[in-house]
Amino acid sequence: MPVTVRVPGSLKDWFGGSDETSCQGGTLRECIDELDREFPGIRDRLLNEDGEIGAILIFLNGENVTGLEGLATPIGDGDEIGIIPFAAGG
């Protein structure tokens, strides 16, 4: 069973117009690599030039991955990844 990836409507275009997709891999980085094969260029949208999480937030089962192991965070069947853009305002 794959990992579910959910995104808000504002990012649907990144994922072929869908707000939900799936991926497989042992780590978040492997999942992103698989997503990039399905949706070319997605890695560049999610990661900065240093290959680290860029101007988005990534959650695994509701927990921000920056508080876990970042891109090395293990993922498993049935997990849920949420990807949301940073919100700016004043």
Side-chain angles (χ1 to χ4, degrees), residues 51-86:
E52 298 300 322
I53 296 171
I56 47 108
L57 297 170
I58 301 177
F59 294 88
L60 178 65
N61 300 323
E63 197 167 344
N64 191 327
V65 298
T66 59
L68 300 172
E69 297 177 48
L71 294 172
T73 300
I75 59 173
D77 289 345
D79 282 347
E80 184 173 301
I81 295 171
I83 301 172
I84 61 171
F86 279 130

Side-chain angles (χ1 to χ4, degrees), residues 1 20-22 32 38 40 45 60 68 70 75 77 79 87:
M1 184 164 149
E20 184 177 309
T21 190
S22 63
I32 290 172
E38 185 174 351
R45 292 176 183 247
L60 178 65
L68 300 172
I75 59 173
D77 289 345
D79 282 347

Side-chain angles (χ1 to χ4, degrees), residues 16-74:
S18 179
D19 61 0
E20 184 177 309
T21 190
S22 63
C23 65
Q24 293 185 354
T27 66
L28 179 58
R29 184 179 299 277
E30 291 173 2
C31 184
I32 290 172
D33 288 344
E34 181 181 316
L35 288 171
D36 194 63
R37 286 188 290 277
E38 185 174 351
F39 306 102
I42 199 70
R43 183 185 303 113
D44 294 336
R45 292 176 183 247
L46 300 178
L47 306 180
N48 63 25
E49 58 277 350
D50 295 326
E52 298 300 322
I53 296 171
I56 47 108
L57 297 170
I58 301 177
F59 294 88
L60 178 65
N61 300 323
E63 197 167 344
N64 191 327
V65 298
T66 59
L68 300 172
E69 297 177 48
L71 294 172
T73 300

